[in-house]
């Protein structure tokens, strides 16, 4: 059986999933050995309640009212993602999909609160997530932020294009970290 991993990241309009919304969704598809070419995706989402957005969150993420107004409705993003995951799964015989997050509890809370996890495949992505925070801790890392783990474990060349707090870019770095941490834990 082939394990196929999907690193998922969301950027949000604040820190409370009961009040705030997803404003960017990104994902990267990979195996234990490689990231599939052209599979790092991200899309800006049009939040329903822009007035509830925390200015600090928007500043950190670099979001403006104009950028959000050009976003895609979350329902459309969810449908496209589900279609892409089904296509990937169908392309690879005997494939098992695995969701990977950095700080899974945060991203999963927003995905659940948004109500977009309705299809079987999408529901599965929040049931058994792998988390690079937990993986890093299990491998002995002391500083578990995405930036600290990336700085400690990745080659600087791998991080040249990294735009912090960008969902597509963060999902790509999360994929690189997961590959490194899975291979590290296999050696131990």
């Amino acid at each position: 059986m082939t394990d196929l991993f999907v690193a998922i990241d969301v950027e949000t309009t604040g820190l409370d999933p009961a009040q705030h919304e997803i404003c960017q969704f990104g994902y990267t598809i990979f195996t234990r050995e490689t990231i599939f070419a052209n599979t790092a995706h991200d899309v800006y989402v049009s939040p329903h309640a822009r007035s509830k957005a925390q200015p600090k969150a928007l500043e950190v993420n670099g979001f403006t009212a104009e950028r959000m107004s050009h976003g895609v409705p979350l329902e459309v993003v969810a449908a496209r993602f589900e279609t892409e995951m089904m296509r990937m799964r169908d392309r690879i015989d005997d494939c098992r999909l695995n969701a990977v997050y950095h700080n899974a509890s945060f991203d999963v809370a927003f995905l659940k609160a948004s109500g977009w996890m309705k299809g079987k495949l999408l529901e599965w992505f929040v049931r058994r997530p792998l988390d690079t925070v937990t993986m890093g801790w299990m491998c002995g890392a002391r500083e578990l932020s995405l930036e600290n783990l990336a700085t400690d474990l990745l080659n600087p060349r791998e991080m040249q294009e990294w735009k912090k707090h960008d969902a597509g870019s963060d999902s790509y770095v999360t994929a690189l970290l997961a590959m490194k941490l899975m291979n590290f834990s296999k050696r131990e």
Side-chain angles (χ1 to χ4, degrees):
M1 176 168 286
T2 302
D3 276 315
L4 191 63
F5 300 92
V6 183
I8 297 171
D9 186 62
V10 299
E11 297 300 326
T12 63
T13 61
L15 299 175
D16 183 356
Q19 293 183 46
H20 302 112
E21 299 174 77
I22 295 170
C23 55
Q24 189 184 24
F25 177 78
Y27 65 95
T28 300
I29 303 168
F30 64 104
T31 66
R32 287 180 189 269
E33 295 81 30
T34 189
I35 292 177
F36 286 99
N38 302 316
T39 63
H41 299 281
D42 70 277
V43 63
Y44 292 106
V45 176
S46 180
H48 297 291
R50 292 186 193 132
S51 62
K52 291 184 179 181
Q54 291 181 333
K56 182 67 176 168
L58 298 180
E59 180 186 324
V60 166
N61 296 327
F63 292 113
T64 62
E66 180 183 350
R67 185 177 276 175
M68 284 191 286
S69 69
H70 295 298
V72 177
L74 190 58
E75 299 78 21
V76 174
V77 175
R80 288 178 185 166
F81 177 69
E82 185 168 15
T83 299
E84 176 69 15
M85 292 303 100
M86 294 302 253
R87 217 178 11 242
M88 284 299 293
R89 196 181 72 184
D90 292 346
R91 251 190 269 165
I92 300 173
D93 293 335
D94 200 22
C95 170
R96 178 175 49 205
L97 288 169
N98 302 279
V100 181
Y101 302 87
H102 184 82
N103 191 10
S105 60
F106 180 84
D107 293 332
V108 168
F110 273 91
L111 291 168
K112 284 182 177 179
S114 71
W116 83 312
M117 292 292 180
K118 294 177 183 162
K120 285 184 181 183
L121 180 65
L122 295 177
E123 287 176 17
W124 187 87
F125 272 93
V126 299
R127 246 187 292 140
R128 297 184 351 222
L130 299 173
D131 191 341
T132 55
V133 170
T134 304
M135 294 164 70
W137 177 78
M138 291 174 70
C139 291
R142 298 214 186 277
E143 298 294 329
L144 300 171
S145 71
L146 185 60
E147 184 172 3
N148 286 333
L149 280 175
T151 300
D152 290 348
L153 298 175
L154 299 179
N155 181 315
R157 281 192 333 268
E158 295 173 310
M159 300 186 327
Q160 280 180 319
E161 304 293 320
W162 184 21
K163 296 177 282 183
K164 296 172 187 139
H165 301 290
D166 174 87
S169 192
D170 285 354
S171 74
Y172 184 80
V173 170
T174 298
L176 291 171
L177 278 173
M179 289 167 49
K180 182 82 71 173
L181 290 164
M182 283 187 273
N183 291 323
F184 179 78
S185 64
K186 275 174 54 175
R187 287 194 306 256
E188 293 301 305

